[in-house]
Amino acid sequence: MLKAVRSVIAILIVGIAVLIGYFIATRDKDMPTEITKEVKTVFVETVKNSTIPIVIPANGNLAAKNRLELYAEVQGVFRSSSNDFKPGQAYKRGQTLLNLDSSEYYASVQAAKSDLYNLITSIMPDLRLDYPEYYQKWQNYLDGFDINKSTPELPETSSDKERYFITGRGIFSSYYNLKNLEQRLGKYRIIAPFSGILTEALVNKGTLVRSGQKLGEFIDTSVYELEVSVSKRFSDLLEIGERVTLTDGNGMQSYQGKVVRVNGRVDQTTQTIKVFIEVQGADTLKEGMFLQANLEARDEPDAISIPRQLLVDNSQLYVVHDSVLDLVEIQPVYFSDKEVVVKGLDDGTRYISKSVPGAYAGMRVKVLENTQNKPTVKQ
């Protein structure tokens, strides 16, 4: 009986194993033998090397090249001006910006002129008797002396004895003291040295102005300068006189300027240098206006410009060979905010012009020429 039971159990086990094997074999036949792989479509462009100008973007605010900060060197009451002394008021060259009351000081200058005239007159009899050869030129000087005009220059002395005689009478010291008074008298009137606009006015008519007080600010509106910061690695590429295109913040207006100065010192904090661009001749320019400058540093031959997002590890690029992706090494030359200038690709090479998620070398793709949103190449 025991042998019979064991035989039955063995037969059952073998039967169950056969059934399980058959079931597994049948299930595998129902599964597909091949897995269909998805082939992604990629946009490509063909490399056409050319000379690419490397343009360095920079920005800054306009400042008037000719600026006059008005300070009082004398004390007096603000009496008059050629125009209203208000911000935004235009003045032409030679017009009076400020005229302070100088009546008291003017009287002292006239008194000094009278003293000099009397002093020269007093030596004329001695000149006629002792030095008749010098008499006539001093007489001519007195004849041309006008107390209401600027004091004329003294006659030149032609000998030591004449010079000693004139000096001993105190004429030279009196003359130079008078010229000093006349120079100070001119400070009561501030004249516009160029045509421009008053941008700041800190006093009104009738105000008592004290010496050293700031009165306002006057700028020339015909010429401006734009100060921009450029990386030091391009310092040797910038040339004085180079033409620069400037645009306003929204890109609606463009202006032409030129590089007039390049600072020789590198900012230690930012490792940049200051470049000054002069721009003039545009009525729409205002001081403080924000402008974008595009400086052409150099031309790079046999290169192309592509979007920065196409680079892999900043030194590789996906290209397509026979519908298969390949990752090749390239040589980046210059990085801008959105694009990069690269070298090392042969003409005719097709590269991916739009990023492909999950791309890898050896991946099969379907090629579609990119006819829209092509990367911009500045030429």
Side-chain angles (χ1 to χ4, degrees), residues 203-231:
V203 292
N204 298 315
K205 292 181 180 179
T207 303
L208 175 61
V209 176
R210 293 177 174 82
S211 178
Q213 179 179 349
K214 186 175 181 180
L215 308 175
E217 193 172 89
F218 184 70
I219 66 170
D220 183 1
T221 56
S222 63
V223 56
Y224 294 90
E225 279 190 349
L226 181 69
E227 178 183 328
V228 297
S229 298
V230 177
S231 176

Side-chain angles (χ1 to χ4, degrees), residues 311-317 327-332 335:
L311 292 184
V312 179
D313 296 333
N314 288 332
S315 61
Q316 295 177 313
L317 180 68
L327 195 59
V328 298
E329 293 287 337
I330 58 172
Q331 179 186 351
F335 288 90

Side-chain angles (χ1 to χ4, degrees), residues 165-299:
F165 177 78
I166 298 300
T167 303
R169 297 302 179 92
I171 292 178
F172 282 127
S173 61
S174 179
Y175 168 78
Y176 287 114
N177 287 333
L178 174 57
K179 296 301 290 185
N180 182 50
L181 293 176
E182 287 184 338
Q183 288 292 326
R184 190 166 182 81
L185 179 62
K187 298 181 185 301
Y188 282 85
R189 184 185 179 205
I190 301 178
I191 299 174
F194 46 77
S195 298
I197 287 180
L198 194 68
T199 59
E200 186 180 24
L202 302 177
V203 292
N204 298 315
K205 292 181 180 179
T207 303
L208 175 61
V209 176
R210 293 177 174 82
S211 178
Q213 179 179 349
K214 186 175 181 180
L215 308 175
E217 193 172 89
F218 184 70
I219 66 170
D220 183 1
T221 56
S222 63
V223 56
Y224 294 90
E225 279 190 349
L226 181 69
E227 178 183 328
V228 297
S229 298
V230 177
S231 176
K232 66 180 181 62
R233 61 194 176 106
F234 297 112
S235 60
D236 58 335
L237 305 176
L238 299 173
E239 297 181 358
I240 303 298
E242 180 181 348
R243 308 301 299 182
V244 181
T245 300
L246 306 174
T247 56
D248 59 7
N250 52 19
M252 300 297 294
Q253 294 285 339
S254 63
Y255 311 92
Q256 291 297 319
K258 65 178 180 179
V259 178
V260 292
R261 298 192 310 280
V262 178
N263 198 343
R265 182 174 65 88
V266 177
D267 189 306
Q268 296 182 359
T269 303
T270 61
Q271 289 298 295
T272 60
I273 59 174
K274 299 293 186 182
V275 179
F276 298 88
I277 303 169
E278 181 180 300
V279 56
Q280 56 183 333
D283 296 335
T284 56
L285 292 175
K286 304 293 182 184
E287 186 173 59
M289 179 185 294
F290 179 84
L291 291 181
Q292 176 81 24
N294 294 318
L295 301 167
E296 292 189 6
R298 70 170 186 266
D299 291 336

Side-chain angles (χ1 to χ4, degrees), residues 26-42:
T26 305
R27 186 186 62 178
D28 291 341
K29 291 181 180 179
D30 295 336
M31 296 179 63
T33 56
E34 293 185 1
I35 299 175
T36 304
K37 295 183 179 180
E38 180 183 359
V39 178
K40 291 187 177 181
T41 301
V42 296

